[in-house]
Amino acid sequence: MQLSETKYRKLGSIAAGLSALSANLLSANAAHAQDASAPQNTEAHLPGLMDEPAPGAGSVVLDSSVLFYQETGGRVQAIEPVINGEVHLDNGDVISGGLTYDSLTGATPNGAAPSTGRQTFSSIIRQATSTQVTSTSASGNSTVTSIPGTTTANSVYTQPARAIPLASFHDHRVAANLTYNWQADADTHVKLGGAFSVESDYTTFTGTTGISRDFNQKNTTLSLTASVEGDISRPHGGTPTAYENLNTLVTGGNDHKTVINVVGGVTQTLTRFWLTQLNYNYSTSSGYQADPYRLISVVDNSGAPLAYLFESRPRSRQRHSFYWGNKLALGPTVADVGVRYYTDSWGIKGITAEVSEQVPINRYLYVKPLFRYYKQSAANFYEPYLISQSGATTFSGLPAYASSDARLSRFSATTIGGRIGWRLFEDSELYVEGESYRQAGTHTIAGAPGQLAGLDFFSGVHAISVMMGFKIKM
Amino acid sequence: MVHTFQFTAMGSPCEVQADCDDPELAKDLGALAEAEARRIEARFSRYRADSLVGLINEAAGVATRLDAETAQLIAYADACWRMSGGLFDITSGALRRAWIFDGSDRVPDAESVAAALAHVGWNKVGWDGTSLTLAVGMEIDLGGIAKEYAVDMALARLARHAPGVPVLVNFGGDLRVSGPRAAGERWRVRIEGIDPDQKPAWLELAAGAITTSGDARRYVERGGRRYGHILDPRTGMPIMEAPRSVTVAAPTCVEAGILSTLAMLQGAGAEAFLKSEGVKAWVTR
């Protein structure tokens, strides 16, 4: 037999397309081999093998991972194990769900401006029982002293000079979601989902529904998703009113927020190598949107702190975002390129640009480097501190809203990261993702009064996260 | 050591080789692969009126709603048709009414080719992703995919039953291995000669699949011209100067199968096609 061998090189367009198609065909039907009804002419000595139990009517995909997140400078540390699953039913329906647990510890800026002297933050908190004697205990980094004859206590912590004041915290979060994606007909999918997230002081419930429809031989997909979210804020020690002084007993109870979110999108296959997606997202929220622990300093003309007040934010917010994403198959690699423009009624305008590319090293290994850049303008009520001309203990003429939250300030952020995926067996993958996130923003404030001039107000973070996960299809 | 299990299915000699020390396990694996071959044969054979494909062909003119697996296979065939510019067409079977390749000199006249061609063309079927409607007189034939698909499915089934046991699944010359053999060496595979007078060739592989297309014995000859059995579904005429056989290596059997079929359909351009697609292939002229 005379064989003439053709040379081996980069896959041509048909071979490359077939590769993806075949993977799709074989993985989609992997379950059929399993749930095959026993053929009539099966060997008699193998009854046990023929009724081997199938893992499910269709295939099941499980993805579990653990995320380690660390901000430099001893700020926030988080560990987050996640498990997600998808069950693909034989009729095309998909049930998906996930469970997340978070453990967060560390310290975050409490909102007060830095100062040239040490700053002491003293607050009155309720205690469970009345004690007649003075007792002292430590809670986080603060010292709690009972006030005799009352059910209240004085909680005090001190922060060093010239530093961004921090408050320590520790919290857990448990979150879960479940979605049923129903294949209404060959081209139409309808989904219905629910999710909740519980922290010690915050609970969120979300209900989502959506429809997507394929047109033009599945080359065009239109989708519309709407969700309603209800939040309950239960701050430790009650919800402070706007500009309530830290050194008073907070009497407010719980508060609520409602968010309605709508996303409309179109996905279009432009060529076999280019998939593009346009999304518009509108959300409107009303209710309590402030951070119940966040302070803002009131300083006098010399920049010296007069008081620490709880921040004040509007009770409504409308957000719009426009997203344009592309998936490009460039030879054996797949690139994702996307930009997002964001604007909201608080005056923030942001833009995100993201590029990532999945590069196969061999059949079992791929790498996916990622780069993301984000830049935003400040909210129109962002103030690093408030100045009181009077120097009194009650302040008049404060703006309606003010917050020193760095997330509402003007800043930019760069993320550099990547993912390494390793196909262990036919249907499983081990992956490691790493990201370095670095914010850049304003350090010193031009025209700051007295002692505040030259102080570093920048509280942006540099965070490193590592995620390890394992994905398996059964 | 390698245990071999043999049976006949889909009109071809089939075998499963398992590289393990447990002969009972090897036997079980062989039986599992056979069950899978028979399951797919029962569903997709054109020769069985009670198969799904038989029922679809029977129901010409009426929409047949397909189960998920069949729909996936049809969608795959649909994608291959589009990708190949209409060269790969599962409706081309109707051309066999005009052409009978028995080594004789019976070349059909233009009218009978045109009449058969009227019942050929994937663009003439109704296909919405779930339901398939054939025009009266049309038929589909998954013969170009089903055997390869059976190899891939059987291999997946064996991998689930006995993960890590190196196996080779060979259904009538379309074969795939799970990976290298137990000690890391390659599998040695005998590729049968296409012509009876040819000697078999040996190939070695450690991963992926190999399929061979071609049958040099099937032709008609007239006026000194040899018309091979590979028909162009667009013209209804045999592809001239098609290779005697094309053997292609690819990660999966379904990929290799389509590529070797498409290469045959390129006729004189088979080698150039394989080269431009960058696949490892062996061509016999």
Side-chain angles (χ1 to χ4, degrees), chain A residues 246-258:
Chain A
L246 173 66
N247 200 13
T248 56
L249 179 65
V250 171
T251 53
N254 298 341
D255 211 333
H256 305 269
K257 183 171 80 177
T258 309

Side-chain angles (χ1 to χ4, degrees), chain B residues 11-97:
Chain B
S12 307
C14 300
E15 68 169 18
V16 176
Q17 295 183 24
D19 194 357
C20 63
D21 296 327
D22 181 355
E24 282 306 308
L25 175 63
K27 216 163 140 192
D28 289 354
L29 291 176
L32 267 179
E34 179 177 359
E36 186 61 14
R38 300 209 185 284
R39 181 184 76 86
I40 288 170
E41 180 178 26
R43 285 173 69 78
F44 302 118
S45 170
R46 176 174 63 91
Y47 301 105
R48 294 173 59 154
D50 63 340
S51 77
L52 244 161
V53 165
L55 293 175
I56 292 167
N57 289 337
E58 194 85 338
V62 183
T64 310
R65 196 175 161 86
L66 306 181
D67 65 281
E69 184 182 27
T70 311
Q72 288 279 356
L73 266 174
I74 297 292
Y76 183 77
D78 171 53
C80 291
W81 177 79
R82 278 183 282 153
M83 200 175 266
S84 64
L87 259 186
F88 179 89
D89 193 326
I90 58 171
T91 65
S92 62
L95 289 173
R96 275 187 302 262
R97 293 174 207 157

Side-chain angles (χ1 to χ4, degrees), chain A residues 190 220 273 297 381:
Chain A
V190 176
T220 309
F273 314 105
S297 297
F381 57 88

Side-chain angles (χ1 to χ4, degrees), chain A residues 12 14-15 22 34 36 46 49 186, chain B residues 31 39 76 130 160-161 255 277:
Chain A
I14 292 182
S22 306
Q34 190 82 353
L46 270 175
L49 281 176
Chain B
R39 181 184 76 86
Y76 183 77
T130 348
R160 267 197 303 277
H161 182 73
E255 281 165 72
E277 289 301 325

Side-chain angles (χ1 to χ4, degrees), chain A residues 269-353:
Chain A
T269 308
L270 292 175
T271 71
R272 272 198 288 128
F273 314 105
W274 185 10
L275 188 78
T276 194
Q277 181 183 17
L278 281 171
N279 272 2
Y280 166 67
N281 186 349
Y282 171 74
S283 97
T284 176
S285 50
S286 60
Y288 187 68
Q289 326 230 7
D291 176 341
Y293 307 116
R294 186 170 285 278
L295 307 173
I296 184 161
S297 297
V298 181
V299 299
D300 64 17
N301 287 329
S302 73
L306 293 171
Y308 308 107
L309 309 182
F310 286 104
E311 67 168 23
S312 167
R313 296 192 193 192
R315 286 186 71 87
S316 80
R317 186 179 195 178
Q318 284 77 42
R319 298 164 152 106
H320 306 263
S321 80
F322 303 87
Y323 173 73
W324 180 35
N326 295 281
K327 217 175 236 312
L328 297 156
L330 310 163
T333 69
V334 179
D336 283 287
V337 182
V339 282
R340 183 190 304 274
Y341 174 75
Y342 168 88
T343 177
D344 71 17
S345 60
W346 288 2
I348 296 176
K349 290 177 169 43
I351 189 143
T352 313

Side-chain angles (χ1 to χ4, degrees), chain B residues 62-176:
Chain B
V62 183
T64 310
R65 196 175 161 86
L66 306 181
D67 65 281
E69 184 182 27
T70 311
Q72 288 279 356
L73 266 174
I74 297 292
Y76 183 77
D78 171 53
C80 291
W81 177 79
R82 278 183 282 153
M83 200 175 266
S84 64
L87 259 186
F88 179 89
D89 193 326
I90 58 171
T91 65
S92 62
L95 289 173
R96 275 187 302 262
R97 293 174 207 157
W99 291 90
I100 295 154
F101 298 99
D102 53 2
S104 71
D105 63 349
R106 285 198 297 260
V107 172
D109 54 38
E111 286 83 51
S112 48
V113 170
L117 202 54
H119 302 300
V120 172
W122 182 248
N123 52 333
K124 294 171 190 160
V125 307
W127 167 241
D128 66 358
T130 348
S131 295
L132 181 66
T133 315
L134 298 182
V136 176
M138 290 185 82
E139 57 181 80
I140 58 165
D141 178 2
L142 292 178
I145 312 177
K147 190 145 61 81
E148 292 85 345
Y149 175 68
V151 171
D152 287 325
M153 287 286 105
L155 194 94
R157 188 167 184 177
L158 300 190
R160 267 197 303 277
H161 182 73
V165 174
V167 288
L168 178 152
V169 176
N170 180 352
F171 292 170
D174 294 335
L175 61 98
R176 182 169 168 193

Side-chain angles (χ1 to χ4, degrees), chain A residues 139-150:
Chain A
S139 166
N141 60 350
S142 58
T143 304
V144 178
T145 309
S146 300
I147 300 172
T150 69

